Amino acid sequence: NAGVTQTPKFRILKIGQSMTLQCAQDMNHNYMYWYRQDPGMGLKLIYYSVGAGITDKGEVPNGYNVSRSTTEDFPLRLELAAPSQTSVYFCASSKTGFTGELFFGEGSRLTVL
Amino acid sequence: GESVGLHLPTLSVQEGDNSIINCAYSNSASDYFIWYKQESGKGPQFIIDIRSNMDKRQGQRVTVLLNKTVKHLSLQIAATQPGDSAVYFCAENINTDKLIFGTGTRLQVFP
């Protein structure tokens, strides 16, 4: 099984550019999440989804958007990239929500210059 | 791969020794706790979890202890191996709709 697949692994953006981080899972999980991880910090929740067509804000949603048109895919969009969005982004999925094992992707490292 | 947590607290242990990684959590209402391991350049991996109605849970070579009185969680790794070298995160769940991650502890295993 591929598990959770994120693309791209690395990306450099200029301030003001837009991009989409892709995330796909093949475990038929209803719950999907986007986290960001800054150096020396734990993971911060950006957005999450409890099923296709349903999304909700996490702790740090400003500057991001998500959609969940299928169970498998949960893309994260940055509309106007800012240096503060330089981070490592992790997508995750789970079967039972926040009280259960989250399966993480390998991460996408984004640098905004 | 990336290096995350460049200035994390670090625990250095010798191969074969037991490791104890500690975590203080913030909210007395938290009712579920989980430990993740993150190797360099990879996403976090689940290790073990515990609910607030328990004070101890054991897995394969790992034990999690929960002390609700002082809001403290610990992860014990028996017979630490080089493959255990990683950053370890604890996380607490509050009212099932939020999972708050700690900042992590780096475990270094020396031969």
Side-chain angles (χ1 to χ4, degrees):
Chain A
N1 277 346
V4 178
T5 303
Q6 291 182 236
T7 56
K9 292 192 186 306
F10 302 94
R11 182 73 185 267
I12 298 175
L13 283 181
K14 294 182 179 178
I15 294 172
Q17 284 186 319
S18 301
M19 76 157 300
T20 300
L21 297 177
Q22 301 291 344
C23 176
Q25 53 96 4
D26 62 0
M27 296 173 281
N28 201 32
H29 287 165
N30 283 328
Y31 296 82
M32 295 188 75
Y33 317 82
W34 274 106
Y35 286 90
R36 60 176 287 173
Q37 185 176 39
D38 300 326
M41 306 293 286
L43 293 100
K44 299 289 187 185
L45 182 65
I46 305 171
Y47 271 95
Y48 67 101
S49 169
V50 301
I54 306 169
T55 62
D56 214 339
K57 295 178 181 179
E59 301 169 81
V60 290
N62 292 342
Y64 307 94
N65 278 301
V66 293
S67 60
R68 185 92 183 273
S69 56
T70 66
T71 299
E72 294 77 19
D73 300 299
F74 191 42
L76 177 72
R77 178 127 182 110
L78 286 72
E79 290 294 347
L80 292 169
S84 61
Q85 293 177 304
T86 294
S87 190
V88 181
Y89 292 83
F90 289 99
C91 180
S93 72
S94 71
K95 189 176 181 182
T96 57
F98 287 108
T99 54
E101 181 179 355
L102 270 62
F103 294 83
F104 284 86
E106 299 268 291
S108 298
R109 184 180 184 96
L110 176 66
T111 302
V112 182
L113 301 174
Chain B
E2 299 97 25
S3 175
V4 294
L6 297 176
H7 304 291
L8 291 173
T10 299
L11 175 66
S12 298
V13 299
Q14 192 161 22
E15 182 178 355
D17 286 353
N18 296 334
S19 303
I20 300 176
I21 300 170
N22 296 305
C23 179
Y25 63 93
S26 58
N27 196 319
S28 57
S30 296
D31 54 9
Y32 174 81
F33 305 88
I34 191 166
W35 281 98
Y36 281 92
K37 171 187 179 184
Q38 186 176 29
E39 297 175 49
S40 182
K42 295 188 176 182
Q45 290 178 286
F46 171 88
I47 302 174
I48 192 168
D49 59 0
I50 188 168
R51 296 195 178 273
S52 59
N53 61 352
M54 303 171 70
D55 54 19
K56 180 179 180 179
R57 190 162 189 228
Q58 289 184 289
Q60 187 178 11
R61 274 200 314 119
V62 295
T63 300
V64 56
L65 298 178
L66 175 62
N67 185 329
K68 294 182 285 294
T69 302
V70 295
K71 292 189 286 187
H72 184 266
L73 194 66
S74 68
L75 177 71
Q76 300 179 359
I77 304 173
T80 312
Q81 301 168 1
D84 295 326
S85 293
V87 176
Y88 290 81
F89 293 95
C90 67
E92 59 184 300
N93 179 269
I94 303 170
N95 297 325
T96 73
D97 65 352
K98 203 177 295 183
L99 193 64
I100 306 297
F101 282 83
T103 54
T105 297
R106 184 183 306 280
L107 176 65
Q108 293 181 332
V109 183
F110 293 96

